[in-house]
Amino acid sequence: MAVVDDHPLFRRGIMSLLETLENVDLVGDAASPDAAIELVTDAAPDVVLMDLDLAGESGIDATKSITRRSPDTAVLVLTMLGDDQSLFAAMRAGARGYLLKTASAREVERAIHAVADGEVLFGADVAARAVSYLSGSAGRPPERPFPELTDRETEVLDLVARGLDNGSIARTLVLTSKTVRNYVYGIIGKLGAPDRSALIVMAREAGFGGSRATADTNAPH
């Protein structure tokens, strides 16, 4: 199996965990969508453990590309994002499982083997919503506001809409203030807002800043 996550410490930690598991062979890791696609093309892992926020790039896009190019590779999402938009987008992209990074080692191991065997598995935090969506009882998932934004930009925008300044956002997301400032400038540019105040109004009108969640040898190889 392979690991795709842009956070070096977390990536090394999850790889160390995987190396202790029986019947799990680790073939490589990646920190970006392009590197992930190249890794899957070269190594053809049975399972890819996928983060959704890859240094401002989208793990959803990477999941779409991987499931389209390598349908025999199962994508298991492991993310901090527990909101409906991220969950439903991952499902539409072809992910076979969805866990939050709060999952235990046992849950991760169970999910890896389940998706490798062709099952679909969701963590307890999101299972009810996923089943409701799959059964159709929830109707269509809500359209994601501002689809031109990356997952990280969406997360930053939600915190901006809550009234947090750049320093507070940086502490919340464990980023530098400079990185947050660059994200905010990029969001303003993409959405065509004249300034931060107008951006806050625009975001709140779209539903941000309220109840939206914030940051959720048959061995697989």
Side-chain angles (χ1 to χ4, degrees):
M1 70 169 299
V3 175
V4 182
D5 196 293
D6 70 316
H7 195 291
L9 288 178
F10 183 84
R11 190 170 69 249
R12 285 197 291 270
I14 197 68
M15 290 172 66
S16 296
L17 167 66
L18 296 176
E19 288 170 350
T20 69
L21 302 181
E22 294 184 3
N23 300 320
V24 173
D25 299 322
L26 188 62
V27 299
D29 64 288
S32 70
D34 287 345
I37 293 167
E38 182 178 355
L39 174 61
V40 170
T41 300
D42 292 343
D46 297 320
V47 179
V48 173
L49 205 58
M50 175 72 69
D51 191 13
L52 293 186
D53 180 25
L54 301 173
E57 297 185 88
S58 174
I60 297 294
D61 293 339
T63 298
K64 287 180 183 177
S65 295
I66 289 170
T67 56
R68 183 178 66 250
R69 300 182 187 197
S70 304
D72 292 333
T73 296
V75 175
L76 172 60
V77 171
L78 183 62
T79 180
M80 288 295 295
L81 302 176
D83 60 282
D84 286 353
Q85 283 86 356
S86 298
L87 170 62
F88 296 146
M91 294 167 65
R92 291 195 298 270
R96 293 189 199 168
Y98 198 105
L99 297 177
L100 298 186
K101 287 185 176 179
T102 52
S104 68
R106 180 171 295 182
E107 289 174 309
V108 173
E109 181 179 14
R110 176 170 173 260
I112 289 170
H113 288 291
V115 300
D117 289 338
E119 299 176 32
V120 176
L121 190 144
F122 299 96
D125 306 88
V126 299
R129 284 176 286 147
V131 171
S132 180
Y133 171 59
L134 288 171
S135 67
S137 60
R140 291 184 62 191
E143 291 296 325
R144 172 172 172 163
F146 312 131
E148 62 268 48
L149 300 182
T150 65
D151 293 326
R152 177 62 91 183
E153 288 171 335
T154 299
E155 195 172 13
V156 170
L157 179 60
D158 186 69
L159 296 176
V160 169
R162 292 172 188 261
L164 275 65
D165 59 22
N166 288 355
S168 298
I169 295 173
R171 289 189 292 274
T172 300
L173 300 180
V174 196
L175 299 171
T176 66
S177 293
K178 180 180 179 181
T179 298
V180 171
R181 184 173 67 250
N182 290 339
Y183 274 125
V184 173
Y185 285 154
I187 294 167
I188 287 174
K190 284 186 178 182
L191 301 186
D195 54 33
R196 191 186 186 104
S197 296
L199 179 66
I200 291 174
V201 173
M202 182 184 299
R204 288 178 176 173
E205 288 178 346
F208 288 81
S211 60
R212 291 170 55 86
T214 311
D216 98 330
T217 357
N218 290 322
H221 64 275

